[in-house]
Amino acid sequence: MKPFSPIDPAAVKLNDPVFAGRVEACRTSTIPSSVAKCRETGRIDVFRLAWKEGMPNRPHIFWDSDFAKVLEGMALMLALNPDDQALAGELDGYVDLVISAQQPDGYLNTHFTVVDPENRWKNIYDCHELYCAGHLMEAAVAHFRATGSRKFLDALCRYADYIATVFGSEPGKIHGYPGHEEIELALCKLADATGEAKYLKLARYFIDERGKQPNFFELEGQQRHASLNVDSLANRQAHIPVREQTDAVGHSVRALYLYTGMADVAMRTGDPSLLDACRTLFDSVAGKRMYLIGGCGSTPVGEAFTNDYDLPNDTAYAESCAAMALVQFARRMADATGEVRYADVMEQALYNGALSGISLGGDRFFYANLLTVDDATFTFGHIHTERQPWFDCSCCPTSFCRFLPQLGSLAWSRRPGELRCNIPAAGSVTSGGAAVKVSGRYPYDGEIGFEIISGGNFVLSVRIPSWCRSWSAALNGKPLETGAKEGYLTVSRDWKAGDRLELRLELTVDVVRANPKVTADAGKIALMRGPVVYALESVDNGPGVSTLIVPAEQAFRLGEAEGLAGVPAILGEALRESDESEGRLYFRNRTPSRTRTGFIAVPYALWQNRGKSELATWLRSN
Amino acid sequence: MKPFSPIDPAAVKLNDPVFAGRVEACRTSTIPSSVAKCRETGRIDVFRLAWKEGMPNRPHIFWDSDFAKVLEGMALMLALNPDDQALAGELDGYVDLVISAQQPDGYLNTHFTVVDPENRWKNIYDCHELYCAGHLMEAAVAHFRATGSRKFLDALCRYADYIATVFGSEPGKIHGYPGHEEIELALCKLADATGEAKYLKLARYFIDERGKQPNFFELEGQQRHASLNVDSLANRQAHIPVREQTDAVGHSVRALYLYTGMADVAMRTGDPSLLDACRTLFDSVAGKRMYLIGGCGSTPVGEAFTNDYDLPNDTAYAESCAAMALVQFARRMADATGEVRYADVMEQALYNGALSGISLGGDRFFYANLLTVDDATFTFGHIHTERQPWFDCSCCPTSFCRFLPQLGSLAWSRRPGELRCNIPAAGSVTSGGAAVKVSGRYPYDGEIGFEIISGGNFVLSVRIPSWCRSWSAALNGKPLETGAKEGYLTVSRDWKAGDRLELRLELTVDVVRANPKVTADAGKIALMRGPVVYALESVDNGPGVSTLIVPAEQAFRLGEAEGLAGVPAILGEALRESDESEGRLYFRNRTPSRTRTGFIAVPYALWQNRGKSELATWLRSN
């Protein structure tokens, strides 16, 4: 199969009820507030290389990546709004500042330039140098695509060329690979933007070398008297070569960035063993280690994947960055294989565990996305029960700066002769000579219209989601009898302007259960409508949402929750048990009585947008 | 109220169905295997002070405490078996070895003598020096009581005297207190054994100084450029003065050792504010932060208490040492106040979360005691799903060496004119001139006989457990009409040899529910019979025990599980749901069907004694 390619974010305009508002909040709030936070914390000024020991705001090893992600977001946003001169000017200034920090040899890392110059490349396992480099490359590529200017891109090419003199299989080079993966996928973007195969080659080297014996991280660790056990290696996905890895292990963001880079390299090199490894690892994630919301990472210990079916709701991690990374990995797999199941998971992570990480206003964040929250929830480190404006380790807010402007491009893919809609978000897309307008209120409504604005001879393929039990389509008013082919409704014709494809996806309130091996969800149900996971908040239902009993067999209704106008809420009947505990922790031989009550469920991703609230996603049932 | 005192362990003989076998396993297995492990790992040889950098088995900061606890266990076991010449000889040799490591100034710590002499008392927050000292003191006191020899005791008095020159309120001394509490309760024992009030004074200083401003740990941390935040201080219960602490926080073993020491000091000084603080902290533990098994510590992160009602079953910690410490704290509170509720909790922790930490054979251990275990259980650090013979940080195995020989003494307390039975374990007790023989099979049977072997004019008070809904008693065959007074059946008379008090405690299978605020247990039941918590193992019930549905309203029966002869098992009806997942992680709109099946529940403390098994303690119910 000829793989699909992404469509440029700027080629998609949105006016749907979910994405469009998020992109706008990113423009008006997420990016400006992240810039302000970067300034406040020293993450911008550090590029002046004027920091000295004893000054406040000691530059951290991951700072460059934070600001790089903001810059990438600004560039992507500029591509969406090419007339925004203020944004263009601000971005240009920052780019000059970043470039000014580049060393004569091409090295570009503020921490190891001003804080710890003697330890450059000495602790790749921990110190994020290649990770920061990757994010700068992504920013440079986005800047190049948005502005046409090569200055940032050329600087990062110089850095990448220098890195290629440091790392590689040749004698005298470090036979190593990043402790925090990311540069692999970034080098693929750099290769695409420049047409230079050498960057793809370096990406492939990092992937192929990973986990081989003798183990680089073990050897490196011995140099600094650190002993790394197999768990330490697995946390970095470096315990065995990537093609031998069958379980998604270790730090979930690292893992998913690696897998995304593997898929990128596999697509560009046509390496079937690498794509097979991606398939296997994807199945491990989505088939055994993923929360219903598309969240990954079942423990804060190492921010990591744990075991098959270990998906505790109250001590979840499900980092926002991991959900965004899963979206990207799934998107690569959907494009590489054309298989609908990858797009299904992309959509599941996107509408739930990714967007849950940011407030509707765009300026409050969850790092960890728990599925059950109340006053008892154990919060430490990056786990919070209320959205935060920033974190010391602020990967998630800055990830949203660059993730949200891509929402439109996630909806569509293309390959020669075919335009593919994976998510029918209302708006429009242009690709080659074709232009299509999408109408409707997906994912809140299943009636979707595709109107050809500019036609031509091409295939329009539209995903029929696997959650959809019944659907129908009509072309220019006439029912289409053709079925879906492997998950896609595929219409091939010489499209004329004004042609109209109508699609009706049946949206029902579905009762979801987990595989019985997921003991955390035993006896519980979740509610979904289409791709959207619903949850109960105490702002709607009063305290004790985890103790409400929601019978599975009932006529659920749609309505609206206060403060979430335009968003369908699910309404139904529940039972509330009496408290027979008399204030004690445990009590014997008293059967609580039950009273009937109603419940209101709202989309999981929208929780904690109306003040402090309890949360229950998996609901006690009967 | 005149407080109660413990009865010497050697004054109690046991032949009950739970404790007696555990003590014997400790004698024949736990102590010898711990000695062997201490020898193997270098924990004994280290006292020769011959270790040099570069040699194997680098002495760790907590090693002295491990071997001290084994020595304490040997001394307690010698007291139970005074004719065991081999044990006496072995112990004597070890005591000489330990004493030989004492420095001229009285200091006695192997790590800071051979590994890191320049850092003595430099990092009290982390480095366990006072903790190790306390365990050596406890061992020395036990050795003195078992043998009458003062050599170990005198050595530890010299150490304590030296410590009093280092720590205290006087100028030039360190105004500090232990980073791992324990020495407080040990100093009280030293004071009791020697009659020297100065040791009680030092214990009181450590307690009174703790958490005061300016904060010692913060000041100490600044010296070594470590910044301690409020969580770091709270992990050591040093965030505020102890009398202002209302919630049990931080590292659960540290906390419970501190509270035990506080109760010891309060009892000996008659300090009402300190005893009030103990009451408050006990209520925080037992009323809001304790697992049903008496386990404490809801997270492996910092091995710590978390929040009220946060008691996850699958990611529990419930360290064995914490349950043993809770037994000691509860015992102190029972003795200090005479209130039955403290003895109730002592019993609950003892028969469940403490004894679960060690195999029936005495040589396999749990460090963390989870309440739900299956293949998905996330294991790391000290969390295991199968019992282990030893741990790198082997506090729990060595704690059992000294805990099990005390089981008999936990059953009884005394004060002038009164002999109090808190746990009617079969066996005998002698105290003053009185001797009482106890018959029966408590806690597996509620018929208990107390036969006076040697009489006198005294009060015999016997606890009526709060879990007991119906009981009766007879004296020399005649029904006793007198009720229980504040939880105790109290018979005051001039007891003659041959007098016989018969007590019948009704033992029923009880359905236990948790306070609805414990969301982890919502919709679930646990089964208890008397003080014993029951649980389902897959060795009896097949895999998937967490998914079995156990209706609360049914006629539970008693039986026996294979491989656990003599232990009542609970038998009943359960429902098993069909697996409709088709191997997927989540599935929609399919209602699993249910088939009837039986279940067998065994005492929680006995799980994993018959090979690898799944575990469910809180059971899905209807």
Side-chain angles (χ1 to χ4, degrees), chain A residues 290 292 307 310 374 376-377 467 510-511 513 515 519 523 530 547 553 584-591 620, chain B residues 290 292 307 310 374 376-377 510-511 513 515-516 519 523 530 553 584-591 620:
Chain A
M290 182 186 80
L292 182 64
N307 299 320
D310 177 39
D374 61 20
T377 301
W467 50 256
D510 296 336
V511 171
R513 289 182 176 83
N515 189 304
T519 58
T547 66
E553 305 279 333
R584 285 172 304 166
L585 195 45
Y586 305 108
F587 57 101
R588 298 193 192 212
N589 300 321
R590 293 190 189 194
T591 308
R620 192 180 156 189
Chain B
M290 182 186 80
L292 184 63
N307 299 321
D310 177 39
D374 61 19
T377 301
D510 296 336
V511 171
R513 289 182 175 82
N515 189 303
T519 59
E553 305 278 332
R584 286 172 304 166
L585 195 45
Y586 305 108
F587 57 102
R588 297 192 193 212
N589 300 321
R590 292 191 189 194
T591 308
R620 193 180 155 190

Side-chain angles (χ1 to χ4, degrees), chain B residues 26 59 100 124 129 133 138 268 276 295 315 409 418 436 474 486-487 497 513 534 591:
Chain B
C26 181
S100 76
I124 317 286
E129 275 166 296
E138 285 203 90
R268 284 160 181 77
D276 280 351
T315 60
S409 76
E418 182 169 352
V436 182
E486 290 171 354
R513 289 182 175 82
Y534 278 72
T591 308

Side-chain angles (χ1 to χ4, degrees), chain B residues 314-602:
Chain B
D314 48 351
T315 60
Y317 205 64
E319 184 176 339
S320 298
C321 284
M324 288 185 264
L326 176 58
V327 168
Q328 298 291 1
F329 179 35
R331 195 258 158 71
R332 287 346 189 248
M333 294 304 289
D335 282 350
T337 66
E339 291 172 29
V340 69
R341 66 199 186 98
Y342 297 113
D344 285 338
V345 171
M346 175 181 79
E347 183 184 56
Q348 184 177 357
L350 184 44
Y351 279 117
N352 302 296
L355 289 183
S356 64
I358 182 166
S359 66
L360 284 168
D363 58 352
R364 291 287 184 282
F365 306 91
F366 281 127
Y367 193 115
N369 293 272
L370 277 57
L371 284 84
T372 299
V373 172
D374 61 19
D375 289 344
T377 301
F378 176 49
T379 57
F380 80 106
H382 305 310
I383 297 177
H384 296 271
T385 57
E386 292 185 87
R387 297 177 184 278
Q388 304 291 311
W390 190 250
F391 305 88
D392 287 341
C393 173
S394 231
C395 53
C396 297
T398 53
S399 284
F400 279 110
C401 289
R402 72 200 192 105
F403 181 72
L404 297 179
Q406 298 180 58
L407 287 176
S409 76
L410 292 167
W412 294 87
S413 288
R414 64 179 169 79
R415 60 180 174 181
E418 182 169 352
L419 190 56
R420 167 160 286 191
C421 179
N422 275 313
I423 300 178
S428 65
V429 60
T430 54
S431 174
V436 182
K437 185 179 162 206
V438 186
S439 57
R441 287 183 46 76
Y442 189 87
Y444 296 150
D445 190 280
E447 309 277 347
I448 302 138
F450 297 87
E451 185 189 344
I452 304 300
I453 305 299
S454 168
N457 203 332
F458 64 90
V459 176
L460 177 62
S461 57
V462 179
R463 184 175 67 103
I464 307 297
S466 65
W467 50 256
C468 184
R469 283 182 292 175
S470 170
W471 63 278
S472 60
L475 183 61
N476 294 329
K478 277 199 246 172
L480 265 180
E481 299 304 329
T482 167
K485 210 168 85 187
E486 290 171 354
Y488 287 88
L489 168 65
T490 303
V491 185
S492 173
R493 59 186 266 136
D494 189 3
W495 294 94
K496 307 293 179 206
D499 276 354
R500 200 172 161 81
L501 178 68
E502 304 280 350
L503 178 66
R504 191 189 146 276
L505 302 173
E506 189 185 48
L507 273 180
T508 54
V509 176
D510 296 336
V511 171
V512 181
R513 289 182 175 82
N515 189 303
K517 290 178 178 155
V518 183
T519 59
D521 301 334
K524 295 185 175 174
I525 61 168
L527 300 177
M528 290 183 77
R529 185 167 175 271
V532 180
V533 176
Y534 278 72
L536 268 59
E537 284 196 81
S538 56
V539 291
D540 298 309
N541 300 286
V545 290
S546 288
T547 65
L548 282 178
I549 301 161
V550 176
E553 305 278 332
Q554 62 169 296
F556 298 103
R557 309 181 308 283
L558 294 187
E560 224 174 60
E562 210 177 306
L564 287 177
V567 177
I570 298 174
L571 278 57
E573 303 293 323
L575 301 167
R576 190 182 292 276
E577 284 188 345
S578 59
D579 178 0
E580 303 290 331
S581 69
E582 296 182 332
R584 286 172 304 166
L585 195 45
Y586 305 108
F587 57 102
R588 297 192 193 212
N589 300 321
R590 292 191 189 194
T591 308
S593 59
R594 294 176 174 184
T595 51
R596 291 167 62 96
T597 182
F599 78 85
I600 301 178
V602 300

